[in-house]
Amino acid sequence: MSASGRVLTDSVAQDFTMATRDGRTLRLSELAADRWTLLMFYDPDCSDCRQELFAMRHASALRRAVSEGRLRVVCVYAEQDEALWRDTCGELPEAWTVAIARSDVHTSYDLSAMPLLLLLDRQRHVIGQAYELRDLPDLSFLR
């Protein structure tokens, strides 16, 4: 992680607490151990975020990697408008972990532009960072 809060490739993603749409409270470190993770910070009011979520829902390589258990998608709302989050989290696929941050992620991640997508390996190392799925490494390499 750089001093500016920008995540550096090959660094370990900073841990944080989140509450999922099904009521669980967990940490990123609890999720990332058994498979690769696509971590997305988003805002339901952000048009670029909605556009990217649409693209992700329709990306065949992403759907295949999730259905085969090679990848977990974790979408995290980093702001505090819980009513907005609850009203919109049902729009995202059931196979994805959808959560609201419970600890301040703004100190660890530069969220000045969203969506922010981070591809993490099993040890939470950042393999890729982008604002659009198409700018991340090809997901077909996940084994």
Side-chain angles (χ1 to χ4, degrees):
M1 179 92 46
S2 73
S4 70
R6 180 163 169 76
V7 179
L8 302 174
T9 302
D10 293 329
S11 67
V12 175
Q14 295 296 304
D15 204 11
F16 62 91
T17 304
M18 64 186 107
T20 64
R21 64 179 158 190
D22 61 2
R24 294 176 297 143
T25 298
L26 42 89
R27 303 187 65 76
L28 178 64
S29 58
E30 296 170 344
L31 289 175
D34 66 338
R35 66 187 94 165
W36 287 65
T37 300
L38 178 58
L39 174 62
M40 177 189 199
F41 291 102
Y42 79 105
D43 184 333
D45 274 343
C46 162
S47 62
D48 289 337
C49 296
R50 287 190 304 272
Q51 196 170 22
E52 194 56 31
L53 287 165
F54 178 85
M56 288 170 59
R57 282 192 301 266
H58 293 89
S60 59
L62 178 72
R63 285 196 324 265
R64 189 169 37 259
V66 170
S67 69
E68 293 173 356
R70 295 180 285 125
L71 179 72
R72 171 186 291 111
V73 176
V74 179
C75 296
V76 178
Y77 175 48
E79 303 306 324
Q80 299 305 310
D81 186 346
E82 191 156 345
L84 172 65
W85 174 71
R86 288 218 176 273
D87 286 347
T88 59
C89 66
E91 300 168 4
L92 301 179
E94 286 296 318
W96 297 2
T97 299
V98 180
I100 186 169
R102 290 295 187 219
S103 53
D104 185 12
V105 293
H106 292 276
T107 57
S108 300
Y109 298 93
D110 179 3
L111 302 179
S112 57
M114 283 203 266
L116 174 64
L117 295 121
L118 302 170
L119 182 60
L120 311 178
D121 69 10
R122 289 177 180 90
Q123 291 76 41
R124 291 193 353 256
H125 291 107
V126 178
I127 303 305
Q129 174 178 338
Y131 299 108
E132 296 180 16
L133 183 64
R134 67 179 179 202
D135 294 332
L136 286 174
D138 181 5
L139 297 178
S140 64
F141 78 92
L142 297 176
R143 299 278 179 241

